Amino acid sequence: MKMKNLFPFWILFYFFTSSALCWAQTKIKVDYTTGLGKPVEQVEAVFRSPASVANGQAILILHHGGGYAANTTQQYAEMFSSNGFATLELIMFQDTSSLNRPDPIAMHGQVMGGLKYLAQASGVDSKKVSAMGMSLGAFLTIDATSSWFYENYQAGELRFNKLVALYPVCWMMTEALKGQTKDIPIFKALPNTFLQQFAEIPLLILAAGKDSYDSLDAGACPTFVKSILNPRQSAVTKVEVFPNATHGWDHGKDYSFPVRGGCTGRTSCTNRIVSSPSTVEQGKQAVMSFLTTP
């Protein structure tokens, strides 16, 4: 076949493949409530069908405090989709200037809404719905190990299959284990005992060894894991520390900003973020191994 005759073929190939990729991604609205007897509300989300052979698994992806518009979740959604997962990226809020940013009770409700949506999605095994979150989203995924989470949001027998937390602020999680959640905004209105009863769900924590929030203490997340008193939850909780990584290693840019009262022991600091493509790739490999290993 002559090259000039290939030109129309490649135009058609590009059109159909591009269209297929667009069709696989859909913006939807997910129902959720903030507790028993509360009205049904909705949160926007982006749903993707598997781009390869479906494996029956699905994953809920939760953005960091910079908001959905920071576009950090897309790289993971594409990775999971290409490996046969259905994916759902919640749009809890667009960016740091959002006026309608939900409170923690609402965000936890939205996570439950995402679980329920994916559990009913075509081709998804309801027992194989997992969740992964970054920073703010990591709080939410760790909180989804709590029995309180499933009871408060009326999950019945439904549970996440596995949970992944990327660069959580582990000094705060250790405080939550102790029931000392006062003055930590992300735990506002949650009972101070919420993280003292566990649903015993496998959890993978990928931690930054140079996380400003944890005062560059590479042991902060391992300390949190060691502090889990429930032996079954402790047994299914893994932590991997990337020694030279900072908070937000997957943001794609270097920047910093002041943090007031959110650093170790409720102190202030400057959060320094350094983009690390190598850590992104290591993290992706660790996550895929965790989610696909029986």
Side-chain angles (χ1 to χ4, degrees):
M1 183 181 294
K2 295 181 179 180
M3 288 300 297
K4 65 179 182 179
N5 293 330
L6 287 174
F7 181 73
F9 170 80
W10 286 114
I11 291 292
L12 289 171
F13 177 81
Y14 175 81
F15 173 79
F16 285 117
T17 54
S18 299
S19 298
L21 290 173
C22 292
W23 293 334
Q25 176 181 326
T26 309
K27 183 172 282 189
I28 63 170
K29 290 188 177 180
V30 174
D31 291 342
Y32 74 95
T33 69
T34 56
L36 182 63
K38 300 295 184 180
V40 174
E41 301 182 57
Q42 291 188 318
V43 58
E44 286 191 324
V46 174
F47 177 80
R48 293 173 189 259
S49 300
S52 62
V53 178
N55 61 15
Q57 295 198 62
I59 188 159
L60 178 68
I61 307 173
L62 307 169
H63 61 71
H64 54 74
Y68 176 77
N71 199 32
T72 309
T73 59
Q74 180 179 343
Q75 60 189 313
Y76 297 108
E78 292 175 348
M79 175 190 72
F80 290 125
S81 179
S82 67
N83 282 276
F85 286 70
T87 72
L88 187 68
E89 301 165 74
L90 283 189
I91 308 176
M92 295 181 286
F93 53 93
Q94 283 289 345
D95 52 42
T96 54
S97 64
S98 297
L99 299 177
N100 59 342
R101 179 169 174 159
D103 62 26
I105 290 291
M107 284 191 284
H108 284 79
Q110 291 171 359
V111 172
M112 179 57 71
L115 169 59
K116 292 179 177 178
Y117 179 89
L118 286 172
Q120 297 177 17
S122 177
V124 172
D125 183 337
S126 63
K127 294 182 179 180
K128 293 184 178 180
V129 178
S130 299
M132 185 190 82
M134 295 143 275
S135 191
L136 169 66
F139 281 116
L140 298 171
T141 51
I142 294 177
D143 292 355
T145 63
S146 164
S147 297
W148 167 85
F149 171 72
Y150 298 95
E151 294 167 1
N152 188 71
Y153 296 99
Q154 298 87 54
E157 298 299 316
L158 187 61
R159 297 289 184 272
F160 278 112
N161 178 37
K162 295 182 179 181
L163 298 162
V164 180
L166 272 59
Y167 46 90
V169 181
C170 281
W171 78 263
M172 293 186 186
M173 301 313 306
T174 301
E175 290 290 274
L177 286 174
K178 302 174 185 175
Q180 298 175 358
T181 58
K182 184 179 179 182
D183 300 326
I184 300 179
I186 190 59
F187 301 138
K188 183 179 180 181
L190 275 63
N192 59 10
T193 58
F194 83 93
L195 202 58
Q196 295 181 357
Q197 298 293 326
F198 288 92
E200 300 167 2
I201 297 171
L203 167 67
L204 172 65
I205 296 173
L206 300 184
K210 295 182 178 179
D211 195 317
S212 300
Y213 285 104
D214 283 324
S215 300
L216 312 186
D217 178 9
C221 289
T223 295
F224 163 67
V225 174
K226 290 177 183 177
S227 300
I228 297 173
L229 298 180
N230 181 304
R232 293 184 179 179
Q233 184 62 56
S234 179
V236 294
T237 300
K238 301 177 181 180
V239 59
E240 183 172 347
V241 180
F242 299 115
N244 297 315
T246 69
H247 195 90
W249 65 67
D250 53 2
H251 289 194
K253 60 181 179 178
D254 301 351
Y255 63 104
S256 62
F257 55 88
V259 179
R260 294 178 177 82
C263 306
T264 307
R266 299 170 177 77
T267 60
S268 300
C269 70
T270 297
N271 183 26
R272 292 183 173 85
I273 290 176
V274 178
S275 175
S276 176
S278 63
T279 305
V280 173
E281 291 309 311
Q282 291 177 62
K284 286 180 177 179
Q285 292 175 23
V287 171
M288 286 304 305
S289 176
F290 175 70
L291 292 177
T292 57
T293 300

